[in-house]
mmCIF file of all heavy atoms in Angstrom:
data_model
loop_
_atom_site.group_PDB
_atom_site.id
_atom_site.type_symbol
_atom_site.label_atom_id
_atom_site.label_comp_id
_atom_site.label_asym_id
_atom_site.label_seq_id
_atom_site.Cartn_x
_atom_site.Cartn_y
_atom_site.Cartn_z
ATOM 1 N N CYS A 443 113.477 105.863 109.276
ATOM 2 C CA CYS A 443 113.405 105.233 108.007
ATOM 3 C C CYS A 443 111.884 105.259 107.501
ATOM 4 O O CYS A 443 111.591 105.569 106.339
ATOM 5 C CB CYS A 443 114.018 103.873 107.889
ATOM 6 S SG CYS A 443 113.992 103.025 106.318
ATOM 7 N N LEU A 444 111.078 104.804 108.418
ATOM 8 C CA LEU A 444 109.706 104.765 108.148
ATOM 9 C C LEU A 444 109.155 106.185 107.864
ATOM 10 O O LEU A 444 108.357 106.404 106.913
ATOM 11 C CB LEU A 444 108.899 104.127 109.316
ATOM 12 C CG LEU A 444 107.343 104.149 109.142
ATOM 13 C CD1 LEU A 444 106.871 103.354 107.945
ATOM 14 C CD2 LEU A 444 106.689 103.621 110.476
ATOM 15 N N TYR A 445 109.573 107.180 108.648
ATOM 16 C CA TYR A 445 109.004 108.493 108.486
ATOM 17 C C TYR A 445 109.595 109.195 107.159
ATOM 18 O O TYR A 445 108.862 109.881 106.582
ATOM 19 C CB TYR A 445 109.583 109.336 109.671
ATOM 20 C CG TYR A 445 108.986 108.967 111.046
ATOM 21 C CD1 TYR A 445 109.653 109.154 112.224
ATOM 22 C CD2 TYR A 445 107.725 108.314 111.064
ATOM 23 C CE1 TYR A 445 109.168 108.813 113.401
ATOM 24 C CE2 TYR A 445 107.230 107.938 112.266
ATOM 25 C CZ TYR A 445 107.868 108.138 113.430
ATOM 26 O OH TYR A 445 107.324 107.805 114.686
ATOM 27 N N VAL A 446 110.760 108.782 106.683
ATOM 28 C CA VAL A 446 111.267 109.259 105.485
ATOM 29 C C VAL A 446 110.410 108.746 104.326
ATOM 30 O O VAL A 446 110.042 109.479 103.421
ATOM 31 C CB VAL A 446 112.727 108.784 105.261
ATOM 32 C CG1 VAL A 446 113.147 108.997 103.806
ATOM 33 C CG2 VAL A 446 113.708 109.493 106.149
ATOM 34 N N VAL A 447 109.970 107.492 104.395
ATOM 35 C CA VAL A 447 109.088 106.923 103.379
ATOM 36 C C VAL A 447 107.721 107.617 103.464
ATOM 37 O O VAL A 447 107.225 107.935 102.394
ATOM 38 C CB VAL A 447 108.917 105.413 103.644
ATOM 39 C CG1 VAL A 447 107.820 104.804 102.660
ATOM 40 C CG2 VAL A 447 110.218 104.741 103.485
ATOM 41 N N VAL A 448 107.210 107.902 104.579
ATOM 42 C CA VAL A 448 105.964 108.523 104.723
ATOM 43 C C VAL A 448 106.035 109.942 104.235
ATOM 44 O O VAL A 448 105.119 110.503 103.538
ATOM 45 C CB VAL A 448 105.454 108.564 106.205
ATOM 46 C CG1 VAL A 448 104.277 109.414 106.434
ATOM 47 C CG2 VAL A 448 105.146 107.183 106.698
ATOM 48 N N ALA A 449 107.162 110.629 104.453
ATOM 49 C CA ALA A 449 107.281 112.067 104.027
ATOM 50 C C ALA A 449 107.411 112.230 102.560
ATOM 51 O O ALA A 449 107.109 113.319 101.988
ATOM 52 C CB ALA A 449 108.555 112.711 104.731
ATOM 53 N N THR A 450 107.773 111.118 101.836
ATOM 54 C CA THR A 450 107.858 111.249 100.313
ATOM 55 C C THR A 450 106.470 111.006 99.691
ATOM 56 O O THR A 450 106.337 111.262 98.485
ATOM 57 C CB THR A 450 108.830 110.109 99.795
ATOM 58 O OG1 THR A 450 108.356 108.842 100.160
ATOM 59 C CG2 THR A 450 110.243 110.291 100.315
ATOM 60 N N ILE A 451 105.507 110.524 100.445
ATOM 61 C CA ILE A 451 104.186 110.235 99.875
ATOM 62 C C ILE A 451 103.531 111.504 99.285
ATOM 63 O O ILE A 451 103.097 111.442 98.066
ATOM 64 C CB ILE A 451 103.243 109.569 100.848
ATOM 65 C CG1 ILE A 451 103.821 108.217 101.228
ATOM 66 C CG2 ILE A 451 101.836 109.521 100.352
ATOM 67 C CD1 ILE A 451 102.977 107.475 102.388
ATOM 68 N N PRO A 452 103.474 112.610 99.965
ATOM 69 C CA PRO A 452 102.836 113.860 99.336
ATOM 70 C C PRO A 452 103.491 114.244 98.009
ATOM 71 O O PRO A 452 102.858 114.487 96.938
ATOM 72 C CB PRO A 452 103.002 114.905 100.383
ATOM 73 C CG PRO A 452 103.137 114.157 101.675
ATOM 74 C CD PRO A 452 103.872 112.907 101.357
ATOM 75 N N THR A 453 104.873 114.226 97.947
ATOM 76 C CA THR A 453 105.575 114.567 96.762
ATOM 77 C C THR A 453 105.310 113.571 95.642
ATOM 78 O O THR A 453 105.177 113.908 94.476
ATOM 79 C CB THR A 453 107.097 114.703 97.076
ATOM 80 O OG1 THR A 453 107.296 115.680 97.990
ATOM 81 C CG2 THR A 453 107.832 115.110 95.714
ATOM 82 N N GLY A 454 105.291 112.286 96.025
ATOM 83 C CA GLY A 454 104.979 111.248 95.054
ATOM 84 C C GLY A 454 103.637 111.405 94.452
ATOM 85 O O GLY A 454 103.462 111.252 93.181
ATOM 86 N N LEU A 455 102.608 111.679 95.269
ATOM 87 C CA LEU A 455 101.249 111.852 94.793
ATOM 88 C C LEU A 455 101.248 113.119 93.858
ATOM 89 O O LEU A 455 100.495 113.080 92.768
ATOM 90 C CB LEU A 455 100.278 112.071 95.928
ATOM 91 C CG LEU A 455 100.018 110.808 96.796
ATOM 92 C CD1 LEU A 455 99.148 111.192 97.956
ATOM 93 C CD2 LEU A 455 99.399 109.681 95.969
ATOM 94 N N LEU A 456 101.939 114.134 94.219
ATOM 95 C CA LEU A 456 101.958 115.330 93.385
ATOM 96 C C LEU A 456 102.526 115.050 92.026
ATOM 97 O O LEU A 456 102.035 115.513 91.012
ATOM 98 C CB LEU A 456 102.843 116.430 94.132
ATOM 99 C CG LEU A 456 102.834 117.820 93.470
ATOM 100 C CD1 LEU A 456 101.489 118.482 93.642
ATOM 101 C CD2 LEU A 456 103.959 118.686 94.136
ATOM 102 N N GLY A 457 103.632 114.213 92.028
ATOM 103 C CA GLY A 457 104.269 113.891 90.725
ATOM 104 C C GLY A 457 103.376 112.980 89.815
ATOM 105 O O GLY A 457 103.319 113.155 88.593
ATOM 106 N N VAL A 458 102.518 112.140 90.420
ATOM 107 C CA VAL A 458 101.688 111.296 89.687
ATOM 108 C C VAL A 458 100.542 112.093 89.076
ATOM 109 O O VAL A 458 100.205 111.866 87.845
ATOM 110 C CB VAL A 458 101.114 110.226 90.632
ATOM 111 C CG1 VAL A 458 99.946 109.465 89.916
ATOM 112 C CG2 VAL A 458 102.146 109.211 91.013
ATOM 113 N N PHE A 459 99.960 112.959 89.773
ATOM 114 C CA PHE A 459 98.795 113.741 89.314
ATOM 115 C C PHE A 459 99.124 114.982 88.457
ATOM 116 O O PHE A 459 98.358 115.318 87.543
ATOM 117 C CB PHE A 459 97.898 114.122 90.524
ATOM 118 C CG PHE A 459 97.163 112.943 91.201
ATOM 119 C CD1 PHE A 459 97.649 112.492 92.369
ATOM 120 C CD2 PHE A 459 96.193 112.219 90.531
ATOM 121 C CE1 PHE A 459 97.029 111.364 93.052
ATOM 122 C CE2 PHE A 459 95.581 111.183 91.032
ATOM 123 C CZ PHE A 459 96.032 110.694 92.327
ATOM 124 N N VAL A 460 100.257 115.627 88.786
ATOM 125 C CA VAL A 460 100.484 116.866 88.056
ATOM 126 C C VAL A 460 101.920 116.882 87.535
ATOM 127 O O VAL A 460 102.450 117.971 87.204
ATOM 128 C CB VAL A 460 100.242 118.128 88.985
ATOM 129 C CG1 VAL A 460 98.711 118.323 89.322
ATOM 130 C CG2 VAL A 460 101.152 118.122 90.165
ATOM 131 N N GLY A 461 102.573 115.740 87.470
ATOM 132 C CA GLY A 461 103.892 115.646 86.959
ATOM 133 C C GLY A 461 104.208 116.310 85.612
ATOM 134 O O GLY A 461 105.063 117.088 85.433
ATOM 135 N N PRO A 462 103.344 115.977 84.601
ATOM 136 C CA PRO A 462 103.499 116.562 83.249
ATOM 137 C C PRO A 462 103.490 118.025 83.201
ATOM 138 O O PRO A 462 104.246 118.752 82.586
ATOM 139 C CB PRO A 462 102.417 115.945 82.395
ATOM 140 C CG PRO A 462 102.185 114.671 83.066
ATOM 141 C CD PRO A 462 102.297 114.904 84.512
ATOM 142 N N SER A 463 102.566 118.604 84.086
ATOM 143 C CA SER A 463 102.398 120.052 84.177
ATOM 144 C C SER A 463 103.646 120.693 84.804
ATOM 145 O O SER A 463 104.077 121.769 84.322
ATOM 146 C CB SER A 463 101.162 120.403 85.009
ATOM 147 O OG SER A 463 100.040 119.903 84.357
ATOM 148 N N MET A 464 104.132 120.005 85.840
ATOM 149 C CA MET A 464 105.355 120.512 86.476
ATOM 150 C C MET A 464 106.558 120.532 85.574
ATOM 151 O O MET A 464 107.410 121.419 85.540
ATOM 152 C CB MET A 464 105.624 119.568 87.679
ATOM 153 C CG MET A 464 104.582 119.756 88.879
ATOM 154 S SD MET A 464 104.900 118.537 90.134
ATOM 155 C CE MET A 464 106.493 119.004 90.739
ATOM 156 N N GLU A 465 106.630 119.542 84.665
ATOM 157 C CA GLU A 465 107.808 119.404 83.730
ATOM 158 C C GLU A 465 107.646 120.551 82.715
ATOM 159 O O GLU A 465 108.656 121.117 82.320
ATOM 160 C CB GLU A 465 107.789 118.035 83.016
ATOM 161 C CG GLU A 465 108.361 116.955 83.842
ATOM 162 C CD GLU A 465 109.781 117.180 84.266
ATOM 163 O OE1 GLU A 465 110.639 117.648 83.405
ATOM 164 O OE2 GLU A 465 110.152 116.957 85.428
ATOM 165 N N ALA A 466 106.410 120.819 82.352
ATOM 166 C CA ALA A 466 106.278 121.939 81.360
ATOM 167 C C ALA A 466 106.558 123.325 81.957
ATOM 168 O O ALA A 466 107.234 124.140 81.389
ATOM 169 C CB ALA A 466 104.746 121.969 80.906
ATOM 170 N N LEU A 467 106.263 123.466 83.281
ATOM 171 C CA LEU A 467 106.588 124.742 83.980
ATOM 172 C C LEU A 467 108.048 124.821 84.162
ATOM 173 O O LEU A 467 108.553 125.958 84.193
ATOM 174 C CB LEU A 467 105.876 124.781 85.360
ATOM 175 C CG LEU A 467 104.380 125.084 85.273
ATOM 176 C CD1 LEU A 467 103.738 124.868 86.675
ATOM 177 C CD2 LEU A 467 104.019 126.337 84.693
ATOM 178 N N SER A 468 108.779 123.705 84.370
ATOM 179 C CA SER A 468 110.147 123.759 84.612
ATOM 180 C C SER A 468 110.965 124.419 83.373
ATOM 181 O O SER A 468 112.138 124.762 83.484
ATOM 182 C CB SER A 468 110.808 122.370 84.937
ATOM 183 O OG SER A 468 110.715 121.494 83.756
ATOM 184 N N ALA A 469 110.344 124.318 82.233
ATOM 185 C CA ALA A 469 110.941 124.872 81.007
ATOM 186 C C ALA A 469 110.763 126.350 80.876
ATOM 187 O O ALA A 469 111.404 126.985 80.072
ATOM 188 C CB ALA A 469 110.418 124.192 79.764
ATOM 189 N N ASP A 470 109.904 126.974 81.693
ATOM 190 C CA ASP A 470 109.635 128.370 81.685
ATOM 191 C C ASP A 470 110.492 129.004 82.717
ATOM 192 O O ASP A 470 110.294 128.922 83.896
ATOM 193 C CB ASP A 470 108.127 128.565 82.021
ATOM 194 C CG ASP A 470 107.718 130.068 81.820
ATOM 195 O OD1 ASP A 470 108.641 130.936 81.787
ATOM 196 O OD2 ASP A 470 106.470 130.372 81.807
ATOM 197 N N VAL A 471 111.515 129.718 82.247
ATOM 198 C CA VAL A 471 112.480 130.369 83.196
ATOM 199 C C VAL A 471 111.883 131.424 84.003
ATOM 200 O O VAL A 471 112.225 131.635 85.173
ATOM 201 C CB VAL A 471 113.665 130.941 82.381
ATOM 202 C CG1 VAL A 471 113.246 132.046 81.504
ATOM 203 C CG2 VAL A 471 114.809 131.273 83.306
ATOM 204 N N THR A 472 110.795 132.110 83.576
ATOM 205 C CA THR A 472 110.129 133.084 84.334
ATOM 206 C C THR A 472 109.404 132.481 85.513
ATOM 207 O O THR A 472 109.497 132.950 86.651
ATOM 208 C CB THR A 472 109.032 133.823 83.515
ATOM 209 O OG1 THR A 472 109.715 134.487 82.389
ATOM 210 C CG2 THR A 472 108.360 134.893 84.273
ATOM 211 N N TRP A 473 108.746 131.311 85.286
ATOM 212 C CA TRP A 473 108.120 130.593 86.420
ATOM 213 C C TRP A 473 109.155 130.170 87.342
ATOM 214 O O TRP A 473 108.944 130.237 88.592
ATOM 215 C CB TRP A 473 107.334 129.420 85.800
ATOM 216 C CG TRP A 473 106.884 128.482 86.853
ATOM 217 C CD1 TRP A 473 107.523 127.273 87.223
ATOM 218 C CD2 TRP A 473 105.779 128.619 87.738
ATOM 219 N NE1 TRP A 473 106.844 126.753 88.285
ATOM 220 C CE2 TRP A 473 105.720 127.449 88.639
ATOM 221 C CE3 TRP A 473 104.749 129.550 87.843
ATOM 222 C CZ2 TRP A 473 104.814 127.326 89.604
ATOM 223 C CZ3 TRP A 473 103.763 129.364 88.901
ATOM 224 C CH2 TRP A 473 103.880 128.251 89.736
ATOM 225 N N VAL A 474 110.306 129.594 86.889
ATOM 226 C CA VAL A 474 111.298 129.094 87.788
ATOM 227 C C VAL A 474 111.853 130.182 88.650
ATOM 228 O O VAL A 474 112.037 130.019 89.897
ATOM 229 C CB VAL A 474 112.520 128.384 86.968
ATOM 230 C CG1 VAL A 474 113.554 128.035 87.902
ATOM 231 C CG2 VAL A 474 111.983 127.125 86.300
ATOM 232 N N ALA A 475 112.087 131.387 88.062
ATOM 233 C CA ALA A 475 112.658 132.494 88.890
ATOM 234 C C ALA A 475 111.637 132.957 89.901
ATOM 235 O O ALA A 475 111.934 133.232 91.078
ATOM 236 C CB ALA A 475 113.029 133.654 87.956
#
């Protein structure tokens, strides 16, 4: 359980710092493919 929490930290930090950019890219079907 502790390791699951620790493993989510990198993704959480990624979402905090570049979340808006990721959402913008998710609308680009070429990037998604």
Side-chain angles (χ1 to χ4, degrees):
C443 182
L444 173 63
Y445 296 153
V446 169
V447 174
V448 172
T450 61
I451 293 176
T453 301
L455 293 175
L456 188 68
V458 170
F459 292 106
V460 296
S463 299
M464 292 171 62
E465 283 299 317
L467 288 174
S468 69
D470 186 345
V471 68
T472 302
W473 168 263
V474 173

